[in-house]
Each structure stands twice: as C-alpha cells, then as structure tokens.
Amino acid sequence: MARAIWLVLDSLGIGGAPDAASYGDAGADTFGHIAAACAAAARGPLRLPNLTRLGLPHAHALASGQVAAGLAPLPAAQGQWGCMIERACGKDTPSGHWESAGVVLQQPFGLFAAPEQSFPPELLAALIEQARLPGVLGNCHASGTEIIARLGAEHIASGKPIVYTSADSVFQVAAHEQHFGLERLYEVCHLARELLAPWNIGRVIARPFIGEPETGFTRTGNRHDYALAPPGQTLLDAVCAAGGEVFAVGKISDIFAARGVSHSLLASGHDALFDATLQALARAESGALVATNFVDFDSVYGHRRDVPGYAAALEAFDARLPELMAAMRAGDIVVLSADHGCDPTWPGSDHTRECVPLLAWGPDLAPRALGRRGSFADLGQGLASHLRLPPLAAGVSFLED
C-alpha cells in the first residue's frame, strides 16, 4: 500500500470564490496579485519552476480566468491540477482544513463582529475571575503584530494579557513569555476554550511574544491553537482506524484538536517544517498520511500584507520541492492545497474568500486537468481512495472521476 503526503500552503488562494462578494472579497486573488506585483517590480516575475510544473499557475488561470502576470506562456503541467471551492461558510483555518479532510461544516462558526469592545462582558468577567487576572487589554479587532507593539509595554506593567479577534472565528490571547509566563498563557487559553462553548468559536490562539518596550516585541514560535474538534470523522480518523499512522507536522494537530494524530511534529519556520516533513516521510510506512501546514504564508506574510515576503517564501518553498519528490517511492502521492486566501494586497489584515489549488503528483501518477472542484472535500476523498480506505462522508475523489 502507498503513502500520502498533504501539504497545506496556508492562505494561498488563487482567485475569488463564486460567493466572494458576500464576504467583501470580490476581486481578491492572493497568488495573482503577488505575481502581478513581482512582474511590475525590479526583481522580476515569480520564479516557481517546480510549482509551475505541478500546475499551480494553470490552476490559478482556471480559477481566476487569466494567466498570472509574468508566467505566460504556461508549459504543459506534469502533475494533476485543478481548483477547489469551499462549501462551508466562512474563510477560516479549521473549516478549510476539515473540509479538505472530508468534513463539511454545516453550521458557521460564531464571530465577534464589533471592531471595538468585541467580546461579551460576561465572557471577559468570567475569564478574569477564573484565571485570577487583574484585567485584560485590547478587546478589539487587531493585527497581532500591531497590538503587541501598541499594548506590549502596558501588558508588562499591568500583568493584563492582551485579548483580540478578527473577521475569523478566533479569540486570541497575547502575553510575554517571561513577564507573564508561557505556561500561564496556555492555562488562560485553555480556560478561555471552555468558557467560549456558548459562542461556538473555532479557535482560541495563544500568541506569546518576547522583547522589551525599548527594543520592540517579537512573536515567538510557541503559538498554540485550541480548536474545536471536527464535527465528524475526518481523513485522519479514517487512516488511524485502518491501522495506519498520521504524522501531523506544524499546527495540523492543533487544527484537528489532536484527533486522528499518531505523531505530532512541531516546528517553527518553513525550512524547519519542510525538514520535519522529510523526517516524517522517512519514518512513514505503507498506509501512512503525512500532513503539514506551512503557516508562515498566512501569519507572517498574508496577514501582515507583506507582498515581497510572501513571494520570497513561495520561491523558497518551490526550491525545496525536489527534495520531497526525490524521497517519494513508487505508489506515493503528494497533494498541495490551501485552506483559504489571505491576499496581501487586500485592505485590512483578514483572510479572503477564494478558490484554492488542488495539485497532485506521484511517481506513477499521470498528468491531467482535474477541473473546478465543488468542494475541498474532493481532496480528502481522493487521498482516502489512494490509501484504500472506506469512502469519507463528503467529496468526490479527484483520482477516480
């Protein structure tokens, strides 16, 4: 039996979803706008030879209706390529990952929509009392880097953690690793996860940082997500039920609430995540799934609206793909996708509702166009069929239609 590798290029949207206007995202195009910015700059067009061979610009052209700037003419793709449309409402990390793994969210996550005084007073009062806090700071929509720059000094002086949210279904808590304490931050987030049950919030995120007011603050790699559990059986569950192993690299384990995970491999930064993926593949036996989320595309470049940084990260990721392909053996498959968009040219700092790529390659896989897929769940169903698992609850296998 073969192995499967699933790589999530977190936030790499490839053009507005059909319902993007309902989210205020008509015209958003993460990949297309990055390519256009590069082509217009002195640095020149995006250099993505390996992703191009797999079919990324082809999938973008299918989703957006035009070839990305600087990438025409497109060569014949050597992988299987297409685009996917999310069926679930929203544009957040859990719903995108869960649907890709075969569980389509039927009820949208709750949101804290008010830009200021975002959280219900009773929620904050309970958190302050039960966590024995002197109070909280923030209580608003904010960028994670901006709010620690603005409130970090007051946080250190007062001992009050910083709480904030966004257009996504999140309750985020930022605190200094030394002055507040990393384990203390995790305890507060664990309690917040329990208190948030009535609001159906997808994730509580611990956002630790270091530094001093005189020199500035920097977020660390000790982020931890406390997600709701998927409301159904995922591809990860199915692999484990069949006796296979799931290697969850990066924040995959957090996103699936550690369910269906045999081994969790933590790493910070794309190179470390790629190294951990190769290490997991070296350990993986037949029937195993290796799943990796490359979070920096989203958290470091997309949310911070850093177009040059996002472009450089894509090129660095592309340059390492041959290592992975060389480590694969007959019968293996690697699938690349995303969970939503985060267009770095778009107003604000939130995710964008976009189509995402579906790229597949394997030593024995014949190249072909996969078309426009009606659900992210087609990815999970395809990997389930590849691993000879029983069909998942949602999706049409991209390998068999």
Side-chain angles (χ1 to χ4, degrees):
M1 194 191 309
R3 305 174 297 175
I5 306 104
W6 175 29
L7 306 183
V8 183
L9 282 66
D10 197 315
S11 85
L12 187 63
I14 55 173
D19 59 357
S22 300
Y23 296 81
D25 294 331
D29 184 351
T30 300
F31 180 74
H33 288 157
I34 292 170
C38 289
R43 55 143 284 153
L46 274 173
R47 296 175 290 272
L48 303 173
N50 298 302
L51 286 168
T52 297
R53 281 194 287 270
L54 291 181
L56 175 58
H58 308 69
H60 169 261
L62 175 63
S64 69
Q66 56 187 351
V67 176
L71 300 183
L74 296 181
Q78 298 173 20
Q80 298 194 354
W81 58 271
C83 65
M84 302 188 293
I85 300 166
E86 187 171 8
R87 280 172 52 193
C89 295
K91 48 182 178 178
D92 46 46
T93 294
S95 65
H97 281 76
W98 295 354
E99 184 165 328
S100 298
V103 175
V104 179
L105 195 65
Q106 300 298 325
Q107 179 182 353
F109 289 125
L111 298 171
F112 295 116
E116 300 290 337
Q117 302 300 310
S118 302
F119 303 118
E122 61 271 28
L123 169 64
L124 294 183
L127 182 64
I128 290 167
E129 177 184 1
Q130 295 183 37
R132 303 178 304 282
L133 299 171
V136 296
L137 302 174
N139 190 14
C140 60
H141 282 225
S143 157
T145 51
E146 177 276 328
I147 201 167
I148 63 172
R150 175 162 52 92
L151 297 177
E154 184 178 354
H155 157 70
I156 292 172
S158 67
K160 299 176 181 179
I162 303 166
V163 297
Y164 62 104
T165 188
S166 68
D168 300 322
S169 182
V170 292
F171 183 94
Q172 304 191 78
V173 186
H176 198 283
E177 285 197 0
Q178 284 80 46
H179 292 288
F180 189 84
L182 184 60
E183 292 304 319
R184 175 75 167 129
L185 172 59
Y186 291 161
E187 291 171 3
V188 170
C189 290
H190 182 77
L191 177 57
R193 174 72 279 167
E194 296 176 351
L195 293 173
L196 281 161
W199 287 273
N200 191 37
I201 298 302
R203 285 180 296 162
V204 174
I205 307 178
R207 294 285 197 177
F209 62 94
I210 57 174
E212 299 299 332
E214 299 78 17
T215 56
F217 301 109
T218 304
R219 296 199 298 196
T220 76
N222 291 320
R223 162 185 172 160
H224 186 57
D225 292 29
Y226 299 80
L228 292 174
Q233 297 298 296
T234 70
L235 171 67
L236 284 66
D237 296 317
V239 171
C240 291
E245 292 184 300
V246 173
F247 295 82
V249 182
K251 69 175 188 175
I252 291 290
S253 183
D254 283 356
I255 294 167
F256 287 89
R259 207 181 73 198
V261 173
S262 311
H263 310 280
S264 181
L265 288 74
L266 300 181
S268 180
H270 280 185
D271 276 331
L273 287 164
F274 214 106
D275 290 342
T277 302
L278 294 173
Q279 292 162 12
L281 187 59
R283 295 168 55 190
E285 302 292 340
S286 294
L289 170 68
V290 177
T292 305
N293 175 284
F294 289 88
V295 66
D296 286 2
F297 290 123
D298 184 52
S299 63
V300 177
Y301 307 112
H303 283 299
R304 300 184 193 181
R305 300 312 193 227
D306 181 354
V307 176
Y310 206 132
L314 280 172
E315 292 175 341
F317 176 89
D318 183 274
R320 297 208 61 181
L321 276 174
E323 296 177 61
L324 176 68
M325 297 165 82
M328 294 171 61
R329 63 195 189 203
D332 286 348
I333 189 172
V334 59
V335 174
L336 293 82
S337 70
D339 48 349
H340 49 69
C342 197
D343 188 338
T345 72
W346 209 244
S349 60
D350 294 320
H351 294 158
T352 42
R353 177 79 168 182
E354 297 184 49
C355 300
V356 302
L358 174 62
L359 310 177
W361 183 87
D364 312 306
L365 202 63
R368 70 183 182 110
L370 300 172
R372 185 184 293 266
R373 317 298 300 196
S375 171
F376 290 8
D378 290 8
L379 184 158
Q381 198 71 270
L383 292 185
S385 65
H386 176 77
L387 294 173
R388 300 179 185 176
L389 301 173
L392 303 177
V396 176
S397 171
F398 68 88
L399 292 174
E400 297 176 354
D401 61 355

